[in-house]
Amino acid sequence: MIGALLSRMAFVAANVIVMIILHGNSRQWWPKIPYLSLRDESVGEHTRLLFNTLAVVTVGQALIGRLPRARWLPRVLTLGVIPALLPGLIWLGQRGLRLKGSIAERYNLALVPILPIAAVVVEDRLAAALTDADEAVSAPVDR
């Protein structure tokens, strides 16, 4: 239980760090990473950045052996679901809530840890659903 919690916290922390590295800004002292880094401030680029962040952390986890095979399919599905939510969340802040200035910046900054946390929740739910489906398929039918 504690190990799973620490693993989830490490996933969130790794995503935040990778997102900061890939996002960059005009004052960054490290070079932008070709293709993975943010090119401009558009919604599409931020969606791509979120996907790249989740993908880089996933590949890193797989390479060091921290991503069990049973989690591969849920993680791949999560890689599609979470970035797909970002345009709606950005729209909510800009048009729905009409956030401006520093409040809008705080909203956007709050999304940085919230999105990986949401990814953990989605992945856990998908893993549980897929495990239940596998058990239902493999269970013998009583007649």
Side-chain angles (χ1 to χ4, degrees):
M1 182 70 171
I2 298 293
L5 180 62
L6 289 175
S7 176
R8 290 176 180 109
M9 288 173 50
F11 174 77
V12 171
N15 272 281
V16 169
I17 291 168
V18 170
M19 191 176 297
I20 290 169
I21 290 170
L22 293 181
H23 187 280
N25 57 39
S26 60
R27 295 180 297 252
Q28 73 185 24
W29 51 270
W30 60 87
K32 288 192 174 202
I33 301 167
Y35 186 73
L36 295 178
S37 291
L38 192 66
R39 294 183 194 128
D40 58 47
E41 293 293 323
S42 69
V43 173
E45 279 295 301
H46 277 90
T47 302
R48 188 179 68 78
L49 172 70
L50 178 58
F51 175 82
N52 288 343
T53 300
L54 292 167
V56 165
V57 172
T58 297
V59 168
Q61 281 183 313
L63 288 175
I64 63 171
R66 300 297 300 166
L67 185 63
R69 282 196 180 270
R71 296 292 238 179
W72 286 13
L73 181 57
R75 180 66 61 88
V76 167
L77 295 172
T78 301
L79 282 170
V81 170
I82 297 299
L85 295 174
L86 187 60
L89 292 171
I90 292 172
W91 179 89
L92 176 65
Q94 291 176 347
R95 305 278 185 319
L97 300 173
R98 299 176 199 245
L99 301 176
K100 303 269 187 226
S102 65
I103 293 174
E105 286 298 318
R106 284 187 223 135
Y107 174 83
N108 293 337
L109 191 58
L111 291 177
V112 173
I114 289 172
L115 290 168
I117 291 169
V120 168
V121 172
V122 168
E123 182 180 333
D124 286 345
R125 299 285 187 227
L126 288 171
L130 292 172
T131 301
D132 290 344
D134 287 344
E135 290 173 1
V137 168
S138 64
V141 176
D142 294 330
R143 291 187 186 206

